[in-house]
């Protein structure tokens, strides 16, 4: 890593720059990026899915959020890099303190959004867009870009034709007086055109950009080798295929027109190019974001089917974990779970890298097991497994935390687990008025933890796509303020936790789908959650006294549903195990 930093600093000097911003993102600003775009990992060693690196002539720093602090400390050389919590030590403040006076800080405008750039700006430095990516210049063995062919996502799974989606959104653009909208989020392109791909790990997208015009037509900028004749026919005559090298000329052709650009989801290069060409830029949220989040009836039913299918694999794994896993490594546990899932013919991929953490590794919120870090699953150990799968009819994400025994778990551990479980069950049964945002519900999942003097340093819930990204916006449940109300059809995770660094981690996650509830007494519309995830919680870690009668009733009711729906799909020892795992909790 030292040689890479030295090479980069020499290149900065050559270009009269005092520093460089290196975000984790690629040209499409997605959470998952292809190997050829892992620039931050290549320069710093940090492989988390969110973060930022800044390199100056005499120092460098990596920033990430609370999910990755422990991982960052493990992966990043503290001699070469400072390591900071991105909210406790913001990059802008770090630049103000450490950059030389009137410093010229370079950035690649194709991999930084305008919102991200504005968050960094300070009068202490001048940001200079580079004509090409400087890291790529010194990354001599950089992998080739992905080249797999795109696939049709048929109506039986999408529930709505691309033409209907395009013309509905185009009509809205026209009402707003906008000629077109830039679609830079690959999940939006995939949703809009009913296509899927394998260009990045775990998220079935095709790396591409689109311009949606107000007449419902689309210009799709994608490597033509990825488009089969069948897919070309599927897209139809209103979708024009263009090579990515035609993008700049196409943007400049929009001169004099009003173009909608999402400042948070679009590289700043788009706005800079359009403005330079004489177009008028309007800041607007990606027009696909909300309709994509509101799953239609076909997608809702697909989500139920996908979760029931996934539940069979997860319950078989939990049975195996309880009876045969002693002495296995974390990596072996990942492989075993994937094997169970892959037995379903509908299985396409994991929806993210499985988090398989035994003991202290479970306290690393987004731990990624490697051969070097893989621990044995020993006796009397807390084991956290956070995993998910991609199926054509839905995307899953589930976390369970178990105690390996044979001894009884410590009372403090049972208390913490029960408070996390109580928060999950409380949020899952929440009923709330239409117009409520996720930030208004966040405290419901934390309340039991707060009463015990505990908390967790991550959001309570993220949106989930339909055979798309496992982390989908704009909906979320978090302490952070949100202006996006929850709406029927949205799917969100419900995942409170508690982490004791160096000892253990607890997280319990179910996916919830928003649905309409009974109308309130004053005629106001209300919403509630339908829990999609079906797998038992570890009864060994439940403390009935901490749970209380109401939470125990919720737990027993949930377990009864799991047994009723998943039990008939299991056989033999696994079915017997599930019946015991879902039996009512004894009251004390």
């Amino acid at each position: 890593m030292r040689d890479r930093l030295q090479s980069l600093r020499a290149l900065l000097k050559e270009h009269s720059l005092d520093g460089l911003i290196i975000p984790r993102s690629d040209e499409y600003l997605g959470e998952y990026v292809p190997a050829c775009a892992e620039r931050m990992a290549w320069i710093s060693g940090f492989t988390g899915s969110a973060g930022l690196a800044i390199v100056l002539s005499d120092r460098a720093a990596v920033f990430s959020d609370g999910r990755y602090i422990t991982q960052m400390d493990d992966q990043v050389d503290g001699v070469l890099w400072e390591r900071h919590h991105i909210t406790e030590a913001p990059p802008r403040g770090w630049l103000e303190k450490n950059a030389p006076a009137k410093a010229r800080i370079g950035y690649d405008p194709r991999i930084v959004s305008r919102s991200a750039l504005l968050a960094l700006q300070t009068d202490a430095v001048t940001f200079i867009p580079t004509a090409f990516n400087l890291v790529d210049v010194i990354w001599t063995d950089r992998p080739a870009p992905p080249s797999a062919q795109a696939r049709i996502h048929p109506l039986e799974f999408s529930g709505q034709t691309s033409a209907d989606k395009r013309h509905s959104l185009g009509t809205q653009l026209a009402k707003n007086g906008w000629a077109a909208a830039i679609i830079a989020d690959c999940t939006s392109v995939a949703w809009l055109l009913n296509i899927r791909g394998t260009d990045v790990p775990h998220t079935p997208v095709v790396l591409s950009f689109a311009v949606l015009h107000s007449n419902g037509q689309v210009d799709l900028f994608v490597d033509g080798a990825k488009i089969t004749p069948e897919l070309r026919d599927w897209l139809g005559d209103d979708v024009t295929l263009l090579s990515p090298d035609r993008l700049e000329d196409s943007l400049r052709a929009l001169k004099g027109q009003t173009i909608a650009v999402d400042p948070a989801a679009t590289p700043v290069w788009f706005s800079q190019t359009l403005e330079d060409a004489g177009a008028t830029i309007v800041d607007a949220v990606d027009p696909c974001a909300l309709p994509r989040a509101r799953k239609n009836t076909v997608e809702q039913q697909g989500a139920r089917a996908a979760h029931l299918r996934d539940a069979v694999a997860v319950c078989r794994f939990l049975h195996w974990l309880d009876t045969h896993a002693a002495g296995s490594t974390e990596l072996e546990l990942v492989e075993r779970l994937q094997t169970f899932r892959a037995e379903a013919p509908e299985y396409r991929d994991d929806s993210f890298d499985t988090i398989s953490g035994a003991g202290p590794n479970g306290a690393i919120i987004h731990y990624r097991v490697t051969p070097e870090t893989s621990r044995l699953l020993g006796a009397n150990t807390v084991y956290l497994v956070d995993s998910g799968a991609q199926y054509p009819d839905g995307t899953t994400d589930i976390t369970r935390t178990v105690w390996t025994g044979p001894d009884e778990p410590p009372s403090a551990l049972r208390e913490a687990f029960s408070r996390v479980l109580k928060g999950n069950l409380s949020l899952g049964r929440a009923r709330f008025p239409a117009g409520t945002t996720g930030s208004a519900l966040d405290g419901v999942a934390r309340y039991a933890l707060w009463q015990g003097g505990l908390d967790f340093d991550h959001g309570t819930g993220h949106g989930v796509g339909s055979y798309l990204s496992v982390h989908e916006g704009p909906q979320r449940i978090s302490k952070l303020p949100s202006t996006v109300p929850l709406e029927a059809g949205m799917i969100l995770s419900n995942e409170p936790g508690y982490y004791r660094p160096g000892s253990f981690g607890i997280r319990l996650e179910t996916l919830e789908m928003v649905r309409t509830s009974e109308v309130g007494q004053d005629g106001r519309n209300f919403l509630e959650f339908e829990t999609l995830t079906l797998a038992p919680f570890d009864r060994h870690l439940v403390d009935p006294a901490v749970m209380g009668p109401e939470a125990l009733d919720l737990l027993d009711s949930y377990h009864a549903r799991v047994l009723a729906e998943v039990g008939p799909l299991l056989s033999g020892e696994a079915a017997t195990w599930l019946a015991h795992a879902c039996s009512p909790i004894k009251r004390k």
Side-chain angles (χ1 to χ4, degrees):
M1 295 299 174
R2 186 183 299 275
D3 290 344
R4 295 174 183 180
L5 270 179
Q6 289 175 344
S7 297
L8 181 58
R9 284 173 170 143
L11 192 60
L12 293 178
K13 186 176 182 180
E14 181 181 328
H15 288 270
S16 301
L17 295 171
D18 299 297
L20 184 69
I21 304 296
I22 308 169
R24 198 269 174 173
S25 54
D26 66 355
E27 293 83 347
Y28 307 91
L29 306 186
E31 177 180 8
Y32 292 103
V33 302
C36 62
E38 290 277 12
R39 299 176 178 94
M40 186 181 71
W42 184 83
I43 196 71
S44 71
F46 175 54
T47 63
S49 65
L52 177 77
I54 303 177
V55 176
L56 301 178
S57 60
D58 61 344
R59 64 185 63 208
V62 178
F63 304 82
S64 192
D65 60 44
R67 298 171 295 169
Y68 293 111
I69 296 304
T70 303
Q71 179 180 339
M72 190 164 54
D73 288 344
D74 289 342
Q75 292 182 330
V76 179
D77 187 338
V79 175
L80 301 177
W81 297 85
E82 298 176 27
R83 299 162 295 190
H84 295 293
H85 191 298
I86 200 164
T87 56
E88 296 174 1
R92 178 167 60 184
W94 188 88
L95 275 173
E96 290 174 335
K97 178 180 178 181
N98 295 292
K102 299 181 179 180
R104 290 165 48 87
I105 306 297
Y107 71 95
D108 181 350
R110 287 182 177 266
I111 64 172
V112 180
S113 73
R114 186 150 60 88
S115 295
L117 189 62
L118 287 173
L120 291 170
Q121 284 187 339
T122 167
D123 293 338
V125 303
T126 300
F127 286 96
I128 308 296
T130 59
F132 47 85
N133 192 283
L134 298 183
V135 174
D136 292 352
V137 174
I138 61 172
W139 190 357
T140 56
D141 59 349
R142 183 177 170 226
S147 57
Q149 292 182 334
R151 302 191 300 262
I152 293 170
H153 188 56
L155 200 59
E156 65 178 293
F157 300 129
S158 67
Q160 185 181 12
T161 67
S162 172
D164 286 346
K165 296 176 183 179
R166 289 186 282 104
H167 287 292
S168 175
L169 296 182
T171 298
Q172 189 59 53
L173 294 180
K175 286 182 179 178
N176 292 336
W178 304 337
I182 303 299
I183 311 297
D185 183 340
C186 294
T187 63
S188 290
V189 175
W191 174 86
L192 181 65
L193 300 180
N194 287 340
I195 61 175
R196 297 295 188 268
T198 57
D199 281 350
V200 300
H202 310 312
T203 304
V205 296
V206 184
L207 294 180
S208 54
F209 297 111
V211 177
L212 170 65
H213 297 275
S214 59
N215 62 2
Q217 295 182 347
V218 164
D219 297 329
L220 176 62
F221 299 88
V222 63
D223 180 355
K226 298 179 181 181
I227 307 300
T228 64
E230 293 78 13
L231 187 59
R232 170 64 270 188
D233 291 341
W234 171 258
L235 292 171
D237 294 337
D238 284 340
V239 177
T240 301
L241 295 181
L242 295 166
S243 171
D245 60 18
R246 298 276 303 279
L247 181 57
E248 182 171 353
D249 288 342
S250 296
L251 294 180
R252 292 190 179 280
L254 298 174
K255 176 181 179 179
Q257 301 183 58
T258 300
I259 310 301
V261 178
D262 188 330
T266 311
V268 67
W269 175 86
F270 282 84
S271 295
Q272 292 172 346
T273 302
L274 287 164
E275 289 174 340
D276 183 64
T280 300
I281 302 300
V282 174
D283 287 347
V285 174
D286 178 344
C288 300
L290 269 176
R292 184 189 65 212
R294 302 186 201 105
K295 310 300 183 287
N296 60 44
T297 55
V298 170
E299 292 171 320
Q300 291 177 32
Q301 190 54 39
R304 296 184 185 101
H307 279 81
L308 182 57
R309 184 185 308 120
D310 201 59
V312 173
V314 171
C315 288
R316 290 179 64 200
F317 171 75
L318 291 174
H319 161 246
W320 177 86
L321 183 67
D322 191 35
T323 56
H324 296 89
S328 299
T329 67
E330 293 170 341
L331 274 176
E332 290 169 341
L333 296 171
V334 170
E335 294 165 358
R336 174 63 67 163
L337 176 54
Q338 187 180 51
T339 297
F340 282 126
R341 282 195 166 111
E343 290 181 17
E346 299 88 350
Y347 171 82
R348 296 292 180 269
D349 191 6
D350 288 353
S351 56
F352 56 97
D353 289 319
T354 295
I355 298 169
S356 173
N361 286 344
I364 303 172
I365 297 173
H366 270 208
Y367 170 64
R368 183 184 297 180
V369 59
T370 67
E372 294 73 29
T373 65
S374 185
R375 294 173 60 93
L376 285 174
L377 185 65
N380 299 322
T381 299
V382 181
Y383 175 63
L384 184 154
V385 55
D386 185 348
S387 68
Q390 294 283 8
Y391 304 100
D393 48 1
T395 301
T396 70
D397 184 1
I398 173 175
T399 309
R400 290 296 182 264
T401 303
V402 302
W403 173 253
T404 62
D407 296 343
E408 287 294 309
S411 58
L413 174 63
R414 295 176 70 215
E415 177 189 353
F417 180 94
S418 298
R419 291 187 182 279
V420 173
L421 177 56
K422 200 170 179 180
N424 174 279
L425 295 169
S426 296
L427 180 59
R429 63 89 53 97
R431 186 166 178 254
F432 47 94
T436 299
T437 65
S439 52
L441 295 175
D442 183 74
V444 176
R446 298 179 189 267
Y447 181 76
L449 283 160
W450 288 345
Q451 300 316 294
L454 307 176
D455 200 4
F456 54 95
D457 191 15
H458 59 74
T460 295
H462 54 82
V464 177
S466 180
Y467 190 36
L468 276 174
S469 176
V470 74
H471 294 146
E472 176 182 85
Q475 72 275 27
R476 69 169 186 261
I477 301 173
S478 170
K479 290 179 180 179
L480 299 174
S482 172
T483 60
V484 179
L486 302 189
E487 298 184 48
M490 289 181 171
I491 298 175
L492 302 102
S493 68
N494 168 6
E495 49 181 312
Y498 173 67
Y499 310 90
R500 187 169 294 172
S503 184
F504 64 83
I506 300 167
R507 186 162 62 254
L508 302 173
E509 178 184 18
T510 51
L511 295 194
E512 315 286 348
M513 185 159 62
V514 183
R515 66 185 180 189
T516 57
S517 185
E518 295 181 6
V519 175
Q521 296 184 31
D522 59 357
R524 188 171 184 177
N525 292 326
F526 272 72
L527 300 169
E528 62 186 15
F529 291 123
E530 172 187 347
T531 299
L532 296 171
T533 305
L534 298 168
F537 297 101
D538 188 357
R539 59 193 302 109
H540 299 99
L541 288 166
V542 174
D543 186 331
V546 175
M547 293 286 287
E550 183 178 11
L552 287 174
D553 287 345
L554 289 173
L555 178 59
D556 286 345
S557 177
Y558 174 73
H559 278 165
R561 181 185 164 211
V562 171
L563 182 60
E565 296 191 31
V566 184
L569 303 177
L570 299 177
S571 60
E573 294 181 359
T576 303
W577 173 88
L578 184 67
H580 173 71
C582 293
S583 60
I585 302 293
K586 292 182 179 180
R587 273 61 168 170
K588 292 185 178 180

